[in-house]
Amino acid sequence: MPVVSVLSLKGGVGKTSVTLGLAGAAAAQKLRCVVVDLDPQGNATTVLAPDGVRFTANDVLTGDHPVAIGDALAVSGWGEPVRVLAGEPALERRNHPPDGPAGRHHVRTALAGLRDADLVLIDCPPSLAELTRNALAASDTALVVTEPTAFALAGAQQALDAVDAVRSAHNLRLRPAGIVVNRFRAGSAEHRYRLDELIAAYRDLVIDPVLPERSAISRAQGAGVPVQRWPSPGAREAGRIFAGYLALLLSTSRAGAGPFSKGVSR
């Protein structure tokens, strides 16, 4: 059961969109996928619209008498293959817990009780605070999401540094799966420059192909359906890209390999 953390340094770069795209790709392949929404904003939960939520990630991660993850999972509005551990605003207080690093294994402990899943995707908060580090301590791989902006290089470096720190201190199996460059516009000179900058620094980690800016992704989310089910050429393109990302994640996690070493787009 590969566990993948999807993280970014800041909000607004499409981290949740990538998480949902991967969940949709898993569902299209009839894989049993669990989305753990650790983002207090709960955007993944909103789009997945799980039915009958009784408990949230906040209940599962409480240090005293946590709810078993099996009791907290709810079937998403996308159907049985995708289940959700819902996020909620109360999770924010767990970003700065009094136990600090001592409580860094709450997510790992919770996931130890999960047996009937083929893939776990953790949608991390848009920061490198304690919830993200807790997620990394429970994961096999970490997928960094960025946009081709002036802050992309610094943000990717900080995210990768966090992955390395958690690996050294808490989780020796953790590997960086790669960097997804999201919302790329091929006609933008700025985007091409920033992509080249990322490639120069992290050639083996920049995943090919980049994810282009497509309105179909946001439209599908607004309608509460996987992009794989949205009827447009842009959605079909995005679906093919997410299927490729999923294949790489699964092969890397199961093999216990290092970072991706595929070619990169120019």
Side-chain angles (χ1 to χ4, degrees), residues 4-258:
V4 180
S5 281
V6 184
L7 68 151
S8 65
L9 181 65
K10 66 183 187 69
V13 302
K15 166 187 59 63
T16 297
S17 296
V18 171
T19 303
L20 294 170
L22 291 168
Q29 296 181 31
K30 309 300 183 186
L31 297 177
R32 297 167 299 175
C33 178
V34 170
V35 175
V36 177
D37 191 355
L38 290 188
D39 191 338
Q41 297 178 64
N43 291 333
T45 301
T46 299
V47 175
L48 290 168
D51 183 44
V53 173
R54 294 190 300 147
F55 303 105
T56 70
N58 190 52
D59 300 306
V60 171
L61 298 182
T62 184
D64 299 325
H65 301 287
V67 173
I69 191 169
D71 295 331
L73 292 179
V75 176
S76 76
W78 293 6
E80 184 67 39
V82 180
R83 290 175 295 163
V84 186
L85 180 58
E88 64 163 319
L91 277 167
E92 182 56 42
R93 66 174 178 264
R94 302 200 181 279
N95 252 335
H96 308 282
D99 50 1
R104 194 154 288 171
H105 298 290
H106 289 326
V107 174
R108 179 187 293 179
T109 300
L111 292 180
L114 187 60
R115 293 288 182 269
D116 55 344
D118 299 310
L119 173 68
V120 176
L121 298 169
I122 305 179
D123 189 24
C124 297
S127 72
L128 301 179
E130 197 59 35
L131 277 170
T132 296
R133 293 176 183 273
N134 210 300
L136 292 173
S139 297
D140 301 296
T141 55
L143 187 66
V144 177
V145 180
T146 188
E147 287 186 319
T149 67
F151 304 106
L153 188 62
Q157 180 62 62
Q158 291 181 52
L160 292 170
D161 286 347
V163 171
D164 188 59
V166 172
R167 179 180 185 274
S168 298
H170 301 284
N171 182 7
L172 290 177
R173 75 179 186 279
L174 179 65
R175 295 291 185 275
I179 301 169
V180 170
V181 180
N182 190 29
R183 295 175 181 156
F184 181 77
R185 297 195 302 272
S188 167
E190 171 70 8
H191 282 200
R192 293 196 304 271
Y193 175 82
R194 297 304 174 186
L195 177 59
D196 286 343
E197 190 176 47
L198 281 165
I199 290 170
Y202 307 112
R203 175 170 294 275
D204 290 344
L205 284 174
V206 178
I207 301 178
D208 177 29
V210 297
L211 190 60
E213 186 173 59
R214 294 292 181 264
S215 62
I217 295 175
S218 58
R219 288 179 179 177
Q221 290 174 16
V225 299
V227 69
Q228 289 80 3
R229 296 183 196 166
W230 193 254
S232 77
R236 289 191 290 274
E237 178 188 22
R240 288 192 296 270
I241 291 172
F242 283 124
Y245 290 175
L246 177 64
L248 288 170
L249 285 171
L250 292 175
S251 64
T252 300
S253 296
R254 288 169 179 166

